[in-house]
Amino acid sequence: MLPLFALFIAAFAFGTTEFVIAGVLPQVADGLSVSIPTSGYLVSGYACGIAIGGPLLTLATKSFSRKALLFGLSTAFTIGQAACALAPDFASMLLLRIAVAVAHGAYFGVAMVVAVGLVPEDKRGMAVAVILSGLTVSNVIGVPAGTAIGTLWGWRATFWVMCALGVVATLAMLALLPRTAGASNQQAGFAREVRVLARQQVWTSLILMLMLMIGQFTLFTYITPTLLEVTGLDKNLVPWVLLLNGVGATIGVFVGGKLSDWKLMPSLITLLCLQAVTLAAIYVVSPYPLPMIVAIVVWGGLNFSIGTPIQTRILAWTADASNLASSLIPSGFNVGIALAASLGAAMLNAGYGYRTLPVVGAMAMLVAVAVALASYVWEGRSRATPPLPAAAE
């Protein structure tokens, strides 16, 4: 478990630096002499860096030792945080954030491949869960802590602390990852990397990922005004509701990991059905504080319990050529997040209220259920089995 712990620390660091910017955005805008809407490009720029740069960097470095690559990405993260702390203006800050995001996108793709290679086949789901938990824990602990540091000592202090966390992650990677980590996933050529994407289990899983993000972020992007205006919560209670949502998400990651190792597709289909029901329930109970809080916590847990088996399935069905497919996982998530936020904005601009947002999510989950069922039946009829890693064939 120690090698997985090293990967978890780096995942926590990358997750915190992606999301903590939202907590210190007003201070960053003031410090760099730009408006808050302009400083919002630091968020969208980071997402674009992950979605576009991550896969490109992964392919460009596919012949590298996986341990050396992970060490290099963690080092780039650390240097990037120090550079952000010293950024003299907005343009340089934006470019530095995009550069770190490229490393972020490559890191999660490579780390997941390495993680599943470190454990027996029946523990793949839990290995993916450990990496994903770095993201959820970063939201529960890292983002509030980073925001508090920025509030007390200024936003630059937040990035210096992130730099120190990067040093810890880099040293843990160097000390705990075996030299041969991920060695069996280096053999496939570019053409084969592309061909595995045509397997129905892969592209249907990417569709499921997109539907999951629509189900999550169409509402989550606007969760604060929804809780304030529809549910009528006091603004001081909103952070606590989001904290409970994060706790639910962290638990959900490991539940999803266990279910992935037990019966992946039946569990995934069941979880998608439950999420459709939960989003419908959010629509019904949104005006009532206590039921709404309970529903938000359950919703958070289901979001991440679904994400684990989707990613485990992609990694299992691309084991013989995993570099490109694994790098598309964080890209897919960020494309889905951007699409969901835009869809929510379009609905609100069209005059639909915040309360209608979970209805869109529920419809996306029903689409996901249909796709997952069709894929499962198709897989059963073909009697196909997941491939072996390239070096093991």
Side-chain angles (χ1 to χ4, degrees), residues 121 124 192 316 319-321 386-393:
E121 186 176 340
R124 283 175 172 173
R192 189 172 186 178
D320 55 335
L388 294 172
E393 290 183 334

Side-chain angles (χ1 to χ4, degrees), residues 62-86:
K62 69 187 184 70
S63 62
F64 287 32
S65 155
R66 299 295 91 178
K67 179 174 181 177
L69 179 55
L70 289 171
F71 176 79
L73 293 171
S74 185
T75 301
F77 168 87
T78 305
I79 295 171
Q81 301 314 299
C84 285
L86 297 169

Side-chain angles (χ1 to χ4, degrees), residues 100-197:
V100 171
V102 173
H104 178 139
Y107 173 80
F108 276 91
V110 175
M112 287 186 183
V113 173
V114 170
V116 298
L118 290 170
V119 298
E121 186 176 340
D122 62 350
K123 300 294 182 185
R124 283 175 172 173
M126 284 306 295
V128 171
V130 169
I131 307 300
L132 274 183
S133 68
L135 290 177
T136 59
V137 174
S138 73
N139 278 281
V140 175
I141 298 174
V143 172
T147 302
I149 290 166
T151 302
L152 290 173
W153 295 298
W155 65 269
R156 294 185 189 273
T158 299
F159 285 96
W160 282 120
V161 172
M162 293 304 304
C163 178
L165 181 59
V167 171
V168 173
T170 303
L171 293 175
M173 206 99 63
L174 189 63
L176 299 177
L177 278 184
R179 185 177 300 175
T180 57
S184 64
N185 295 286
Q186 298 179 37
Q187 309 299 319
F190 177 74
R192 189 172 186 178
E193 294 279 356
V194 174
R195 281 198 302 270
V196 300
L197 300 180

Side-chain angles (χ1 to χ4, degrees), residues 113-336:
V113 173
V114 170
V116 298
L118 290 170
V119 298
E121 186 176 340
D122 62 350
K123 300 294 182 185
R124 283 175 172 173
M126 284 306 295
V128 171
V130 169
I131 307 300
L132 274 183
S133 68
L135 290 177
T136 59
V137 174
S138 73
N139 278 281
V140 175
I141 298 174
V143 172
T147 302
I149 290 166
T151 302
L152 290 173
W153 295 298
W155 65 269
R156 294 185 189 273
T158 299
F159 285 96
W160 282 120
V161 172
M162 293 304 304
C163 178
L165 181 59
V167 171
V168 173
T170 303
L171 293 175
M173 206 99 63
L174 189 63
L176 299 177
L177 278 184
R179 185 177 300 175
T180 57
S184 64
N185 295 286
Q186 298 179 37
Q187 309 299 319
F190 177 74
R192 189 172 186 178
E193 294 279 356
V194 174
R195 281 198 302 270
V196 300
L197 300 180
R199 292 172 185 159
Q200 70 89 359
Q201 293 87 353
V202 179
W203 59 262
T204 54
S205 294
L206 291 171
I207 293 173
L208 295 180
M209 183 186 297
L210 183 63
M211 292 300 106
L212 176 63
M213 290 299 95
I214 292 174
Q216 181 176 358
F217 278 92
T218 302
L219 173 60
F220 192 79
T221 304
Y222 307 96
I223 189 64
T224 296
T226 299
L227 291 172
L228 293 174
E229 297 185 22
V230 179
T231 311
L233 285 185
D234 185 277
K235 65 179 181 180
N236 294 320
L237 291 177
V238 172
W240 294 102
V241 175
L242 297 181
L243 175 63
L244 290 173
N245 178 269
V247 171
T250 304
I251 295 170
V253 162
F254 290 102
V255 171
K258 283 286 188 183
L259 293 174
S260 298
D261 293 331
W262 178 52
K263 291 185 181 294
L264 194 152
M265 284 306 292
S267 298
L268 177 56
I269 292 166
T270 302
L271 290 170
L272 290 169
C273 291
L274 289 174
Q275 188 68 312
V277 172
T278 301
L279 282 161
I282 288 175
Y283 169 78
V284 173
V285 305
S286 55
Y288 311 104
L290 186 57
M292 180 62 164
I293 291 171
V294 173
I296 290 294
V297 175
V298 173
W299 173 60
L302 285 170
N303 279 326
F304 280 84
S305 66
I306 293 168
T308 304
I310 290 176
Q311 292 175 83
T312 302
R313 191 177 194 227
I314 292 173
L315 293 170
W317 283 94
T318 60
D320 55 335
S322 56
N323 290 301
L324 178 58
S326 64
S327 68
L328 289 176
I329 292 174
S331 294
F333 275 121
N334 280 273
V335 169

